[in-house]
Amino acid sequence: MTLSMNTVALLYLVASVCFIQALKGLSHPKTSMRGNLFGMVGMGIAALTTLGLIGTMAQGMAEANLSKGLGLVLAGLVVGGGLGALMAKRVEMTKMPELVAFMHSMIGLSAVFIAVAAVAEPHALNIAAKGAPIPVGNRLELFLGAAIGAITFSGSVIAFGKLSGKYKFRLFQGAPVTFSGQHLLNLLLGLATIGLGLIFMFTQSWEAFLAMLALAFVLGVLIIIPIGGADMPVVVSMLNSYSGWAAAGIGFSLGNSMLIIAGSLVGSSGAILSYIMCKAMNRSFVSVILGGFGAEAGTAAAGSAEARPVKSGSPDDAAFVLSHADSVIIVPGYGLAVARAQHAVMELAEKLTAKGVSVKYAIHPVAGRMPGHMNVLLAEAEVPYEQVFEMEDINPEFGQTDVVLILGANDVVNPAARTPGSPIFGMPILEAYKAGTVIVNKRSMASGYAGLDNDLFYMDKTMMVFGDAKKVVEELVRAVE
């Protein structure tokens, strides 16, 4: 298959429009399926167009070499697409953040490999004539794309380990990893990476390019290890942005408008989302990068949680309170995701609604382990969209609500955000503490992801119901009936 350059440009433009429509569609649950469809169509067009472009550019090659090259490309598409489809089908909702981090790492590594190939054989990619030096502008683009890609790859690997919580290796544990002089070291490594990149840009030195890549890989690790606790959703969004800029940088070098547009869309949307999430946590982007959020508070909270008494009850007790309420707000958290209790929660809401109880869901912007985690969970259980409310819309209603049912959420309902001197002071929260009665389901009194104790659990109006979220909610359903 061969294509004229005008046809390639037109098809890339169509694919770009599809990507823009995908982002627009994904902005609301009702249009999310349409958005996904646009994204798949756009990527299909981009992939097939690139395949045709490769065939067009390789027309002068020997038949055997052309067949071999196209065969490798098709094999990559089949293997990569097959593995992606398999992982997407098998992944559990609780593992979605790790999958996203893994995909970011692959995008970053791809950018690195493309940059290395472009520096090694620029003539093969039409960057420069055979034997001629790479233009200075292209060297700058390759330096930036490779450096950002390397940081994205190694940083995403660390984020994957932190999010999974399955690895004993210290760097992969959720708590921040800090040491004396850490920020100064990061600054020096960053300056050295930039310096080596500039040397490569002016001299085309392979040694400088490889040294720059090595430092960028190390820098990616050092940037992410001091980040932990409630800042991890921001990290996922930030790495998403990095992967987009890495792709855009390489797209300039290759003269590929599709890579430039798609990378810019991902980079800018990830940056905007990171800003929105930082604002939702009352944190600056710089403070997130410096890391360490909740590290010291978590240590102090562990002891105090054991000493303070709480009022606990059974699922039957909670069901009685819920059944006799006029209004109930359900606050889903990561504990609900771990237990995969969203369908049971939907059934409970239906039972309460049938009894004349008004039921709504309250979503915090950083609930769970990644942006939109709770929204996707509820959509999976086919919760009506009109019952799901964002923090700004639902907060004024807590004061007039009879019962709030909190399922596995902690940091996003912590009243410590209203206490001066608290590590999360000023962070916007769901104001569940204003409701008439608060029912909290948790496995234990362990602190949340930010490592902070929660005063809400010790209030007289609060009833703790301990146990696995799915089992507890299923008992609630039976008791309500």
Side-chain angles (χ1 to χ4, degrees), residues 308 409-411 413-416 445 452-458:
R308 302 170 66 182
N410 195 329
D411 303 316
V413 294
N414 194 339
M445 289 299 295
L452 301 174
D453 201 8
N454 193 335
D455 288 337
L456 176 65
F457 302 158
Y458 308 102

Side-chain angles (χ1 to χ4, degrees), residues 104 155 159 224 227-228 231-240 274 288:
H104 293 163
I224 303 301
I227 304 175
D231 284 333
M232 284 310 295
V234 183
V235 172
V236 174
S237 176
M238 178 184 71
L239 291 170
N240 175 49
S274 297
V288 171

Side-chain angles (χ1 to χ4, degrees), residues 225-310:
I225 58 172
I227 304 175
D231 284 333
M232 284 310 295
V234 183
V235 172
V236 174
S237 176
M238 178 184 71
L239 291 170
N240 175 49
S241 179
Y242 286 178
S243 67
W245 297 126
I250 296 301
F252 278 107
S253 299
L254 300 181
N256 189 311
S257 59
M258 184 71 264
L259 267 180
I260 297 170
I261 295 172
S264 298
L265 287 173
V266 173
S268 56
S269 60
I272 293 170
L273 183 58
S274 297
Y275 168 77
I276 292 173
M277 297 186 72
C278 285
K279 185 178 179 182
M281 298 168 64
N282 193 37
R283 301 268 281 160
S284 69
F285 187 75
V286 173
S287 66
V288 171
I289 295 300
L290 294 179
F293 182 54
E296 295 178 1
T299 304
S304 60
E306 297 177 1
R308 302 170 66 182
V310 298

Side-chain angles (χ1 to χ4, degrees), residues 6 16-17 29 31 34 47 61 66 86 104 106 113 125 150 155-156 167 214 220 350-351 359 371 377 418 420 422 449:
N6 287 337
S16 300
V17 172
T31 57
R34 185 177 67 196
M61 296 173 59
L66 177 59
L86 183 64
H104 293 163
M106 292 297 99
F113 283 156
L125 298 174
S156 297
Y167 304 101
E350 289 179 339
K351 299 294 183 185
V359 178
L377 275 178
R418 301 288 186 263
S422 167
Y449 209 42

